[in-house]
Amino acid sequence: MSHQLAYYRVSTADQSIEAQRSAMGGPFDQEFIDEGVSGGVMAANRPGFAAMLDKVRKGDTVHVYAVDRLGRDALDVQSTVRRLIDSGVMVDVHGIGPIGRGVGELILAVLAQVAEMERRRIAERTEAGRNAARASLKATGKTHRGKESLGRPFAADAQIVAAWRNENIASIRATASHFGISPATVKRYCKPEK
């Protein structure tokens, strides 16, 4: 007896798989989910996808919303789909349809290359943004988006926290409570000089 399996993946924890689930319809016998997992992570190394690989059997169909949900590494996507096809499993990509040998594999290869190019573009845009932020921070004291640092905003001024702790001979917990910051932040701010 064949089964209909669905695989969903979103890259960040604030994204939801519900749009993919709604678009693909169903019903599915089983659903496998990877939330907060980058498409750059090899498919077999993702918990949800690995669980699906353990369950899928000859004659089953794996439904996925888009090729980039399988991954953003073209070689990994192609080898993953080929592995499934070689095992007698049909891969159905929403909007494209079933991927089979020959033309289906060719279409998949092109789409996987597009997904990989997009991953590279995202990395390039991210790096360009960081470089612009660094240059602006150096020139004006603020990033190109008006922030005072590249990372998270500082919870408090480290020198003031360290000075207050030393003057009051305060514990880490008392210092954290006084400034409304975490004990870990106090420890980081009050590291002894090497």
Side-chain angles (χ1 to χ4, degrees):
M1 181 174 165
S2 65
H3 294 94
Q4 303 296 311
L5 302 122
Y7 174 70
Y8 312 106
R9 182 188 63 76
V10 290
S11 298
T12 61
D14 62 330
Q15 294 175 322
S16 169
I17 60 138
E18 290 310 314
Q20 295 173 44
R21 179 179 277 147
S22 175
M24 289 178 14
F28 301 109
D29 297 306
Q30 282 188 287
E31 295 181 337
F32 299 88
I33 301 168
D34 281 313
E35 291 180 294
V37 180
S38 167
V41 175
M42 298 299 176
N45 294 338
R46 295 182 221 139
F49 199 90
M52 185 186 70
L53 288 176
D54 286 343
K55 298 280 185 188
V56 72
R57 299 290 177 253
K58 184 176 183 176
D60 290 350
T61 301
V62 171
H63 297 266
V64 64
Y65 178 71
V67 172
D68 69 346
R69 300 301 89 196
L70 290 171
R72 290 193 182 266
D73 180 284
L75 293 176
D76 182 49
V77 169
Q78 291 173 61
S79 66
T80 299
V81 171
R82 190 164 291 119
R83 173 182 173 186
L84 290 167
I85 291 171
D86 289 346
S87 300
V89 175
M90 178 67 68
V91 178
D92 191 316
V93 179
H94 178 73
I96 296 173
I99 302 292
R101 296 228 177 271
V103 175
E105 287 182 304
L106 178 62
I107 291 169
L108 179 71
V110 171
L111 293 173
Q113 287 294 330
V114 170
E116 186 170 330
M117 283 177 15
E118 180 61 18
R119 181 180 66 146
R120 279 193 226 126
R121 263 189 286 212
I122 289 168
E124 289 168 2
R125 286 193 308 262
T126 302
E127 187 57 31
R130 281 191 197 110
N131 290 339
R134 284 185 192 107
S136 180
L137 189 62
K138 187 174 182 180
T140 67
K142 292 194 182 242
T143 68
H144 63 302
R145 299 221 171 158
K147 295 182 180 178
E148 295 180 359
S149 72
L150 290 177
R152 293 182 276 168
F154 291 107
D157 185 306
Q159 291 176 333
I160 293 172
V161 171
W164 185 89
R165 182 169 184 234
N166 287 337
E167 289 168 12
N168 293 285
I169 313 168
S171 69
I172 289 173
R173 179 168 284 162
T175 306
S177 178
H178 178 77
F179 286 97
I181 58 179
S182 72
T185 301
V186 173
K187 289 177 188 176
R188 192 171 60 250
Y189 288 175
C190 299
K191 281 184 187 173
E193 298 281 329
K194 289 184 179 181

